Amino acid sequence: MNYKLSRRQFGQLALAGTVVSGLSYLTKKALAETPSLNIVGIGSSPMVTTDQTAITEVNTTELVENTALNSVSTDIKPVGLVLQSLVTGKAQVLTDKSTPLLEPNEILSGFTSLSDGTLVVAITPVAISQRQATPTRITFLGTPIKTLIVSGLKQNQQLGSLLGTNDGRLIGLVGKKNGTPPIKLVDINLQTGEISSISKIKFLDDERVDNLAECPDGILYTSIVGAYGDTTLVQLDSNQKKPIKLGQLKVNGQAWNNGLQSLVCSATGQLLAFGAMRYETPNAVYIVDKNSGNMTRLQDFDTTQITRARA
C-alpha cells in the first residue's frame, strides 16, 4: 500500500531525525540543461501514526518554514521506505500494512528501476542476534507491492547493486556480506527470485566491485574500489570477458576516496555517480566523464541510493 506525506507529517519525520530533510532541487537553468535527468532516491523511514487522515504529497523545500510549528507526539516504528525526487523535491513514504518493508536489522543493499518503470529494492539482513535472520529478498514497489525471497545465495553472501537492464532483465552483484570479494555478476529471475551466475564477465578474485549502470547504447559500467577507497570506473564487455578499466574517479583533481553509493546512466547516455568523499556529507550526484574519470558536482541529494525513474 502506498502512502504520501502531508506537509505536517513530513515535518514530524524530520524532527524525529529519521528522514533526511533540507532536500534542495535543481535550479531552473540546470533543469533546462538536463531535461532527461529524472532521478529518484531511496532511504529508510519510520512509519508515523497520527490522528490525521488527509495525506498528500509534499515538496520538501517547504520544511524549513513549517517544521518548528509541527512538534506533536507520534508513534514511530521503523517500517517504511522513503522515495525522493531529485528534480521536484517531493517525497513519498511507502509501507505495507501486512509486512514491514524494512526491519531495523536490515539494510537496503540494492535499488533500481525495471524497463517498465517498476522500482525494485534488495533487502539484506544484518546479523545482530542469534535468532534466525530473515532471508534476503527483492521487493517490487508497484501496486500492489510484491516481494520475492532470493534463492541461490550462500549464508555469507549478499545481493546488491541491482540493475534493471534495457532488455527487461534484472541483474546484480553477489559478494560477501562485508562487501569483500570474490564478486560475481548474476541474473535474477523476476518470477522466482532465483539467481544464476553470468559467466560471460569475470572479476578478479581480489577485486572489490560495486554498482552497475547500463547506458542506452547497451554498454555496462561498474566501479572497482581499492583498499583506501580509491575508485576506478570500469566498462563491462561480454566480448572481452575481462573488465576494461577506464580511469580513476576524481573531483577537482583530487582522487575519489570513498567508493560510490550508486552509478546511473541517464536516458541521454550521461553517466552519473552518487556518493560523498570520506568524512563529508551529504551525498551528491556527480556528472562523470567516461574517458577521464573527472566528476563534476551536480546536486546535493541526501538519500541512500539512487536510480533513474523510467516512464
Side-chain angles (χ1 to χ4, degrees):
M1 181 178 295
N2 291 352
Y3 291 89
K4 294 181 180 179
L5 289 173
S6 68
R7 177 184 305 178
R8 184 171 183 173
Q9 288 172 314
F10 201 99
Q12 292 161 359
L13 284 175
L15 279 176
T18 53
V19 174
V20 177
S21 63
L23 174 65
S24 60
Y25 53 91
L26 297 175
T27 63
K28 292 182 179 180
K29 179 179 179 181
L31 282 171
E33 293 174 349
T34 55
S36 64
L37 190 61
N38 192 7
I39 298 297
V40 61
I42 194 167
S44 59
S45 157
M47 183 64 188
V48 173
T49 302
T50 69
D51 294 332
Q52 287 183 279
T53 56
I55 300 177
T56 57
E57 211 168 54
V58 60
N59 188 313
T60 57
T61 57
E62 299 173 345
L63 286 175
V64 175
E65 62 186 65
N66 291 286
T67 298
L69 303 177
N70 295 313
S71 179
V72 297
S73 61
T74 58
D75 180 18
I76 300 173
K77 298 179 180 180
V79 296
L81 295 177
V82 178
L83 295 177
Q84 302 183 60
S85 169
L86 175 69
V87 174
T88 67
K90 291 182 178 179
Q92 181 182 16
V93 171
L94 298 96
T95 66
D96 188 326
K97 284 187 175 180
S98 60
T99 306
L101 295 180
L102 186 69
E103 297 279 7
N105 64 333
E106 296 175 330
I107 60 170
L108 292 169
S109 57
F111 179 47
T112 191
S113 59
L114 300 179
S115 57
D116 65 0
T118 302
L119 296 174
V120 186
V121 294
I123 299 174
T124 298
V126 177
I128 60 173
S129 69
Q130 294 182 352
R131 73 179 181 89
Q132 184 65 34
T134 305
T136 298
R137 60 194 184 276
I138 51 174
T139 297
F140 302 84
L141 303 178
T143 305
I145 291 173
K146 173 186 173 183
T147 295
L148 292 176
I149 300 300
V150 175
S151 60
L153 288 175
K154 295 179 181 179
Q155 189 173 6
N156 67 337
Q157 288 184 325
Q158 172 177 304
L159 171 66
S161 302
L162 296 182
L163 173 65
T165 63
N166 298 337
D167 60 4
R169 296 179 300 138
L170 179 63
I171 64 176
L173 295 174
V174 169
K176 293 182 180 179
K177 283 190 174 179
N178 59 5
T180 59
I183 309 292
K184 64 178 180 179
L185 186 65
V186 299
D187 209 324
I188 306 157
N189 190 303
L190 290 169
Q191 306 304 318
T192 66
E194 183 178 4
I195 64 171
S196 56
S197 179
I198 299 175
S199 59
K200 291 182 179 179
I201 297 174
K202 299 285 187 181
F203 302 111
L204 297 179
D205 287 344
D206 61 349
E207 287 181 332
R208 182 183 160 198
V209 183
D210 206 2
N211 301 298
L212 290 169
E214 183 183 29
C215 287
D217 58 8
I219 296 178
L220 290 171
Y221 296 90
T222 187
S223 57
I224 294 178
V225 184
Y228 300 99
D230 48 296
T231 308
T232 301
L233 182 64
V234 173
Q235 180 181 319
L236 302 179
D237 187 340
S238 59
N239 295 322
Q240 298 288 334
K241 288 192 176 181
K242 187 177 180 181
I244 304 169
K245 295 183 179 181
L246 301 179
Q248 187 172 2
L249 297 181
K250 47 189 174 294
V251 178
N252 297 325
Q254 181 180 357
W256 188 264
N257 63 5
N258 201 29
L260 297 173
Q261 295 294 102
S262 301
L263 193 63
V264 174
C265 200
S266 74
T268 58
Q270 177 62 65
L271 199 60
L272 304 170
F274 177 67
M277 294 280 272
R278 192 176 301 167
Y279 309 123
E280 292 184 7
T281 57
N283 290 325
V285 179
Y286 293 81
I287 295 174
V288 180
D289 185 307
K290 300 172 187 176
N291 297 317
S292 66
N294 289 325
M295 299 167 61
T296 303
R297 194 185 196 94
L298 179 63
Q299 174 70 22
D300 287 353
F301 196 27
D302 210 342
T303 189
T304 303
Q305 295 188 41
I306 66 169
T307 190
R308 176 166 66 94
R310 310 191 204 193

